[in-house]
């Protein structure tokens, strides 16, 4: 089933999250969508962003997780706490965390272990920088970043998000052809996995989503800026918006 993940990053108060949830709920209507929707709000808005309806039509993800299980780690939130707060997924290895917070492969491996211990599913992000792309290092970057998953149990569900760093928040999405080539290489590197979905992320909008999805073979998107509005998130996910009837 295709998967569409809204990564809100550091946006939305609890009230704003609740307004989003109410609006998304109205757009979806009572029936369960035939695709899978996930919202990754800031931790303070996890409760507010949940589907308050009788049937959860979307699930929750955390944007980050501690590398340790428990203890004196001021400011950290453990995988067990995230599971207990209603998360099903955790984003691990987003390029903003790698780049701005110095998260390296060793740290990400520990985070992945914690995520699995808590029964959560990682949305593992990877992708080349502009510099790596120009130097034809994209393939080598994939190999290195996929190697971080070497201890992750191959028979558990996994989501991998291909997010070229040069495409994130720039308005310059990968072409469907580039995304297709990346997907093919990543699928090959992940061929020992039983249950893996590969998503694309980076400047996905309601205007480019359909053509990237159709022509790249990706199983969905990780969406930043365009996921902040319920209408554009739903449109990207291909949900026919309900009109007054
Ligand atoms: P963007 O962000 O859609 O705003 O480019 C994607 C992401 O960082 O996950």
């Amino acid at each position: 089933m295709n998967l569409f993940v809204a990564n809100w990053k550091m946006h939305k108060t609890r009230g704003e999250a609740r307004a989003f949830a109410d609006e998304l709920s109205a757009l979806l209507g009572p029936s369960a969508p035939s695709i899978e929707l996930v919202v990754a709000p800031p931790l303070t808005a996890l409760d507010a962003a949940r589907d308050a309806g009788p049937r959860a039509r979307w699930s929750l993800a955390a944007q980050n997780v501690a590398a340790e299980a428990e203890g004196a780690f001021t400011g950290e939130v453990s995988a067990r706490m995230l599971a207990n707060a209603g998360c099903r997924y955790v984003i691990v290895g987003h390029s903003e965390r790698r780049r701005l917070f110095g998260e390296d492969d060793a740290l990400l491996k520990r985070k992945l272990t914690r995520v699995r211990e808590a029964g959560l599913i990682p949305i593992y992000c990877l992708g080349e920088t502009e510099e790596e792309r120009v130097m034809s290092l994209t393939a080598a970057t994939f190999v290195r970043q996929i190697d971080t998953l070497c201890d992750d149990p191959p028979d558990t569900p996994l989501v991998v998000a291909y997010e070229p760093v040069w495409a994130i928040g720039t308005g310059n999405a990968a072409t469907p052809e580039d995304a297709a080539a990346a997907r093919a290489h990543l699928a090959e590197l992940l061929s020992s996995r039983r249950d893996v979905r590969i998503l694309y992320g980076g400047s996905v909008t309601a205007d480019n989503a359909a053509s990237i999805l159709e022509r790249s073979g990706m199983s969905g998107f990780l969406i930043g800026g365009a996921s902040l509005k319920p209408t554009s998130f739903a449109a990207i996910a291909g949900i026919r918006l309900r009109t007054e009837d």
Side-chain angles (χ1 to χ4, degrees):
M1 198 187 274
N2 280 354
L3 172 62
F4 299 87
V5 184
N7 175 16
W8 288 356
K9 309 191 181 185
M10 200 169 73
H11 292 284
K12 294 194 191 291
T13 61
R14 293 170 57 77
E16 289 160 352
R18 174 47 55 210
F20 177 103
D22 288 347
E23 203 180 321
L24 182 61
S25 179
L27 290 171
L28 291 175
S31 54
S34 57
I35 40 101
E36 185 178 351
L37 297 175
V38 175
V39 176
L43 293 180
T44 45
L46 271 175
D47 253 338
R50 83 174 62 244
D51 184 357
R55 217 151 18 106
R57 290 157 295 174
W58 65 88
S59 55
L60 296 173
Q63 300 174 17
N64 188 24
V65 62
E68 311 294 337
E70 189 171 39
F73 302 102
T74 300
E76 293 292 277
V77 176
S78 75
R80 200 169 136 250
M81 293 168 187
L82 296 175
N84 180 249
C87 291
R88 178 170 162 75
Y89 294 94
V90 185
I91 298 173
V92 176
H94 191 281
S95 70
E96 284 152 18
R97 301 241 31 117
R98 292 182 194 256
R99 204 162 37 88
L100 304 173
F101 300 93
E103 297 197 0
D104 60 12
D105 294 335
L107 182 85
L108 296 177
K109 271 190 177 183
R110 283 167 44 223
K111 290 191 172 202
L112 287 164
T113 304
R114 299 290 92 76
V115 168
R116 293 304 192 183
E117 284 167 359
L120 295 165
I121 302 170
I123 299 171
Y124 177 69
C125 302
L126 54 77
E128 79 285 4
T129 61
E130 173 67 29
E131 200 183 9
E132 286 164 339
R133 177 163 83 135
V134 169
M135 292 170 73
S136 302
L137 291 172
T138 301
T141 302
F142 286 0
V143 170
R144 177 171 50 78
Q145 292 177 328
I146 290 289
D147 191 55
T148 302
L149 293 165
C150 63
D151 296 330
D152 191 62
D155 48 349
T156 50
L158 172 70
V159 179
V160 170
Y162 167 57
E163 296 208 307
V165 179
W166 46 266
I168 296 176
T170 60
N172 180 25
T175 62
E177 292 70 30
D178 282 347
R183 203 208 71 86
H185 187 200
L186 291 170
E188 191 188 314
L189 294 173
L190 292 161
S191 60
S192 62
R193 309 275 325 190
R194 282 245 302 274
D195 180 357
V196 60
R197 281 181 289 181
I198 303 174
L199 313 184
Y200 169 76
S203 296
V204 174
T205 64
D207 292 332
N208 62 22
S211 91
I212 299 176
L213 196 65
E214 270 164 36
R215 291 159 61 199
S216 67
M218 291 282 175
S219 299
F221 295 125
L222 179 55
I223 310 137
S227 75
L228 293 170
K229 282 206 177 82
T231 43
S232 68
F233 179 49
I236 289 167
I239 290 159
R240 248 189 51 239
L241 302 184
R242 277 160 57 93
T243 48
E244 299 294 330
D245 48 21

